[in-house]
Amino acid sequence: MSPSTSKSGPITLRRACQACSRGKRRCDQRLPRCSRCQKLRLDCEYVNLPLSTDLGQGPGSIPLRPPLQLEIIKGYEASIIAFLVEGISSLPLSFAQKMKTHFIHPELWSCSSVPPPIRDMHALCKLYTKTPFNNSTHLVPSLRHQINSYQKRVAKATNFEDLLASAQALLLTHCMLIASENPSAPFSESTSAALLALGENLYNQAPIQLPHTLSPRRAWLFAESVRRTIIVGFMLRSVYSLKTRNYSVRTPFVDSLPFDMRTGLWDFSCGEGLAGGNEIGGDAIVSLHRYSGLLESGRVHGIGAFGGLVLAACRGKDVSQVLYPALA
């Protein structure tokens, strides 16, 4: 889902290879060639490269669509679970203060065009952060009502922008619920399934092309918001499972999600453009599995707050546990 900013063509989130796209044929996104290009001996090039999970599956890749139903169970130390719960619980506070968090960016809209779910959620987060911690459990019924309301809005979204905004509001409500709910609350399969379905729904409905009127900065922010919203949704699902039953469940679909390693771009001011960031090697877009592996192996320096959450959620490690390779 990385937008192309080439002058030769429009910004696109297209996943099919260029040969299948030109021929208006279905592309199975295999590497190094899709099945159609392999059969017809065509050059197979992707605008947005399909990502493998790097899970030892041989030369082929695990396609992002349809997602595999295989589940990976992981148990983490209590300190990592506490870190993840605290990190997720802090997102509504950040949003209340700045109208910005790890997956929602205010540069996507002007003050007059803030989507209603985002505007309403900002007001709710401000109210939530003013509630004394020892009284937060009283908010649980109200938060559950809000979750039901946003789930209905997600189901009835008429365009992707409304779907994304409603999904982001829904995730922030879940963040507040995780912080407010009694630690002994039972695990809910329906909640876990709903969070899984939300991520898959966002991925499947992401637009193939972005408007030509978007600047490279806003096009990148839009694509990055989609990527991060999906990732935070699965991270939230993992934290919910860890808190209620001490282990998390993931699918290879999560590991193969695209991740932009230039995390510093998220916090650049609008005048700084797309230059800079913490690229590692060539392409900036890798699978979430590969990025978390780079974090764990000490290949990324200056790990920020979002990177710390990714490392903890995917690898069960704290930033302080990362051992950096000795300089040659």
Side-chain angles (χ1 to χ4, degrees):
M1 291 189 295
S2 170
S4 168
T5 55
S6 170
K7 294 181 180 179
S8 61
I11 296 167
T12 177
L13 300 181
R14 183 172 60 241
R15 301 176 185 87
C17 75
Q18 297 194 56
C20 288
S21 180
R22 285 193 297 267
K24 297 183 179 179
R25 300 296 181 90
R26 184 178 182 84
C27 180
D28 61 14
Q29 304 174 41
R30 292 185 179 275
L31 290 175
R33 289 184 177 186
C34 72
S35 298
R36 179 172 177 268
C37 288
Q38 180 73 26
K39 181 179 180 181
L40 300 178
R41 298 184 179 181
L42 300 174
D43 290 335
C44 190
E45 297 181 354
Y46 294 93
V47 175
N48 298 293
L49 194 65
L51 302 170
S52 71
T53 59
D54 303 327
L55 288 177
Q57 298 295 324
S61 64
I62 295 178
L64 288 182
R65 205 176 353 188
L68 299 182
Q69 296 306 310
L70 175 68
E71 292 189 331
I72 305 165
I73 296 177
K74 291 191 174 185
Y76 293 156
E77 296 177 1
S79 60
I80 296 297
I81 297 175
F83 171 79
L84 284 168
V85 171
E86 182 181 355
I88 287 294
S89 302
S90 70
L91 297 182
L93 174 61
S94 171
F95 189 68
Q97 293 174 338
K98 305 175 183 177
M99 214 168 183
K100 175 184 177 182
T101 186
H102 295 317
F103 63 105
I104 303 175
H105 205 293
E107 281 184 40
L108 280 177
W109 345 278
S110 64
C111 293
S112 59
S113 64
V114 178
I118 297 296
R119 186 175 59 244
D120 296 344
M121 180 49 55
H122 185 235
L124 181 60
C125 285
K126 290 174 71 174
L127 177 64
Y128 169 79
T129 55
K130 293 178 181 178
T131 302
F133 180 76
N134 57 359
N135 291 330
S136 61
T137 54
H138 297 303
L139 292 175
V140 169
S142 176
L143 292 174
R144 290 191 183 281
H145 175 76
Q146 288 292 335
I147 285 173
N148 290 334
S149 176
Y150 283 124
Q151 284 177 334
K152 291 177 182 177
R153 180 148 193 159
V154 164
K156 295 179 180 179
T158 57
N159 55 62
F160 186 77
E161 286 73 15
D162 187 41
L163 172 62
L164 179 61
S166 299
Q168 290 172 334
L170 175 61
L171 292 181
L172 279 174
T173 312
H174 272 293
C175 291
M176 288 185 274
L177 182 61
I178 278 183
S180 304
E181 202 169 39
N182 191 309
S184 61
F187 177 78
S188 169
E189 288 288 354
S190 62
T191 298
S192 181
L195 288 170
L196 175 64
L198 180 66
E200 293 175 357
N201 190 22
L202 282 170
Y203 182 84
N204 289 329
Q205 294 197 42
I208 293 176
Q209 291 188 345
L210 299 179
H212 298 268
T213 53
L214 288 181
S215 66
R217 166 69 175 173
R218 290 190 68 188
W220 182 86
L221 282 174
F222 181 85
E224 184 69 357
S225 294
V226 177
R227 285 191 288 265
R228 287 183 175 224
T229 299
I230 295 171
I231 289 169
V232 167
F234 283 110
M235 189 183 296
L236 184 59
R237 180 176 181 247
S238 178
V239 171
Y240 174 65
S241 178
L242 286 166
K243 184 182 178 184
T244 54
R245 55 184 184 178
N246 296 316
Y247 67 87
S248 68
V249 177
R250 280 205 328 276
T251 70
F253 172 68
V254 181
D255 286 318
S256 61
L257 288 170
F259 191 91
D260 195 321
M261 296 187 294
R262 301 169 299 174
T263 55
L265 293 179
W266 187 258
D267 295 315
F268 276 18
S269 67
C270 58
E272 292 178 287
L274 281 174
N278 56 336
E279 293 97 336
I280 304 171
D283 295 335
I285 302 291
V286 297
S287 67
L288 182 62
H289 178 77
R290 175 158 172 72
Y291 179 71
S292 63
L294 291 169
L295 291 172
E296 185 180 30
S297 62
R299 296 281 304 282
V300 179
H301 292 266
I303 301 174
F306 189 50
L309 286 174
V310 169
L311 177 63
C314 295
R315 301 285 172 157
K317 296 285 184 68
D318 183 79
V319 173
S320 64
Q321 296 174 295
V322 173
L323 300 177
Y324 293 95
L327 296 176

